[in-house]
Every structure is written in C-alpha cells, then in structure tokens.
Amino acid sequence: SDSFPSYMQPDAIYISDIHILKLTIRIHALRPRPEGDFGLRFGFWELNATSICCEDQHVDSDELQLHDATFHIGSLHCLEYKGTCEHSIVTVGHVTGLPAKSSSGQNDVYVPSTASQILEIPLSSAFDAGTDPSYALHAKLIYRVGPKDGKQRKKQNGFVSLKTGTFDVDMDHSLIGGITSAVNETKIILLGEKDAAETKPKKGKIAPPKKLKAKPLWLLQVATKGGNLSYQPLVKVKLPASRYQAKKGTDGFSLNTFLNGLGVEYGQSLLETPTPTSLAPISILPESIRLHILLYLDDLTPIEKAFKIKRK
C-alpha cells in the first residue's frame, strides 16, 4: 500500500538464509625436510565446523538502507596432521576443562531462521540454540544509512557484536610459517606471479585535495567466555570471561574493558618441562602396519625397554 513508507514496501525487503550442518576443509601441504631422502614430508590441516548459519536481512529504498546480518558457528575445530601425528590447533565451542554454559544457565545467542520460517522449511535440531547453550562464534552486524542529502547519504551508523565460546589455541612458529607459505603458494596458483608496479606521482603536478567524507559512527562489542592461548615455547595466556566495548567515529577510537583473573606466562623456562614419551601414535596404527615396522627394525632393544619386555 502507498500509505506505508518506501522502506516498508515488499519490493524493498530482502531476506536470505544459509544453513550448513557440517563443513570440513582440508588444506594439504608438502613441507621441506632437508634430512630426508625424498626432500618432502606430507601433512595437512583440517578444519571442522558444525551448525553454520548465515542470515542477511536487507532493506533498500530511497529513504533508508539497512543491513542486518547474523553469522553463527556451533563448534569449530582445527587439526594439524604430520604423518601419523595429530595436533589440535584451535578448538572453540566445546573445550574440555572449561565451562561452556553461561552462569545463568540460559543461552545468550539466538540462531535466526526467518527465511526458513516464511517458506515453512524445517531445520535440523542442531540449529536450535536452546538445546545446546555452547557455541563457537556468534557475530551480528547492523548498518544503517539515512536518506540522501543531494548526492550523499547522511547519518551512517553501524553496530557490530561478536561473541565467542570457550576456546583453546595452541600454535608455534613453525605452524605460522607453514600457513604463511601455503597462503603465498595459493595466491601464486590462483592469481599468478605479477610484479606490483609502483605508481609514482608526476613531477610538476599537484594532486587535488581529497574531499572529506562524513565518517560513520561504529559501535563494537566483543564478549568471550574465556579460554587458553599458547604460542610455544614462550607465551601462555589464560583469558577469563570478559567483555570489550569500542567506539569509532569523528572523535576517534576508544576502547574500554575490565579483566579479572587474567593469567600471562612468558619465558621459555616455563614451558620446558619434559613431557613423558608416548606410544600412542604407534598403538593407534593397524596391526599390519605395526608388524611391518617391526620387520624393518635392526635393533629391538629400545622397544623392549619401552614395553618393559625381558628377553628369554
């Protein structure tokens, strides 16, 4: 009806939903190994994410432009595999030893399904946030632009809310270097090698002054349920449940927070405690592979000492 403003007309409203029950991404990498005969060692990173939801509500009219986007991940787990060894890099959502539920016992996030409800499409129970209060990531973006004043729009306001569940991050320098090398190789494969030509201003010409645009007002809120962050072998941080608030606008950038129970350890001596030897990587192998390993060993004395086996 024409009695309603333009931003309330059906033609100006767009709603879209994406729901993914589980997503697995594997990135394979060949790392150099100078001491080996073949010069290459096989390994890969695996990223597992469950209960992924993305919803975008968009209003496009002359009087108002509005974006309301929500992104939700139920659980996130990143693993690194080198040969038969497995290393957990990042775990968000379900972390052993850390509380996943809020102190009030109620979930503090809402998983949207507006388009699915309008189209009457049933969703899996995994997207029902009320059944499992733990989550990995919940982000919300609201961006509003007012009516046009000439050629520009005024009154630009934005709000970003980011919430994370309990997390456990364990990485080192070699992992960062491996990921950087993989990203660079991917860029070369997809984009090709291109020499970046530097643009230099011509002499004798003065560039015209840039027009100052009105800076939008952004409000940022970040909340986390706490977790552990380790950068071996120097840094170990225990972050408590905390909340951060920031503001960016014409007055600049401001940030405020309060941390109670923050724990920081720095120094190689703190993390140099020797770990006991583990036979788990060998024990999880199939029996046929273990027998092949024993057949190619010239000396069984180390294995006899490890298993405490006495020769007859």
Side-chain angles (χ1 to χ4, degrees), residues 73-280:
I73 300 178
S75 65
L76 183 67
H77 194 193
C78 184
L79 300 167
E80 180 186 26
Y81 292 91
K82 291 182 181 178
T84 59
C85 299
E86 176 183 332
H87 175 222
S88 177
I89 304 173
V90 178
T91 303
V92 188
H94 297 276
V95 181
T96 305
L98 294 176
K101 297 184 179 181
S102 59
S103 57
S104 61
Q106 298 179 354
N107 197 2
D108 55 349
V109 300
Y110 168 71
V111 182
S113 57
T114 307
S116 302
Q117 293 180 5
I118 293 175
L119 298 176
E120 297 182 354
I121 299 176
L123 293 177
S124 173
S125 59
F127 295 101
D128 186 6
T131 59
D132 189 2
S134 63
Y135 57 90
L137 176 67
H138 187 86
K140 190 173 185 63
L141 167 66
I142 300 176
Y143 184 65
R144 177 186 177 275
V145 182
K148 288 184 178 180
D149 184 4
K151 294 183 179 180
Q152 295 182 354
R153 290 180 179 267
K154 292 186 176 181
K155 296 183 180 179
Q156 302 179 16
N157 300 325
F159 172 74
V160 177
S161 175
L162 179 65
K163 296 181 180 181
T164 68
T166 53
F167 62 88
D168 187 9
V169 181
D170 186 7
M171 59 181 62
D172 55 13
H173 180 71
S174 62
L175 174 64
I176 300 298
I179 294 177
T180 304
S181 301
V183 171
N184 293 335
E185 292 179 4
T186 304
K187 289 181 179 179
I188 293 175
I189 294 173
L190 297 178
L191 304 178
E193 297 183 5
K194 296 181 180 180
D195 296 331
E198 298 181 357
T199 58
K200 298 182 179 180
K202 296 181 179 180
K203 296 181 179 180
K205 292 186 178 181
I206 301 176
K210 296 182 178 179
K211 296 182 179 179
L212 297 177
K213 296 182 179 180
K215 295 183 178 180
L217 174 63
W218 282 96
L219 300 177
L220 175 64
Q221 179 175 306
V222 179
T224 176
K225 294 184 178 181
N228 301 320
L229 174 62
S230 300
Y231 185 80
Q232 306 289 352
L234 293 176
V235 181
K236 187 176 182 181
V237 178
K238 183 179 180 181
L239 188 68
S242 51
R243 186 181 299 270
Y244 311 84
Q245 293 180 347
K247 178 182 177 181
K248 183 179 180 182
T250 56
D251 299 334
F253 179 80
S254 61
L255 173 68
N256 68 84
T257 185
F258 178 77
L259 297 176
N260 184 16
L262 175 67
V264 180
E265 296 180 8
Y266 179 83
Q268 191 169 357
S269 60
L270 296 174
L271 303 174
E272 278 187 345
T273 54
T275 56
T277 57
S278 175
L279 299 174

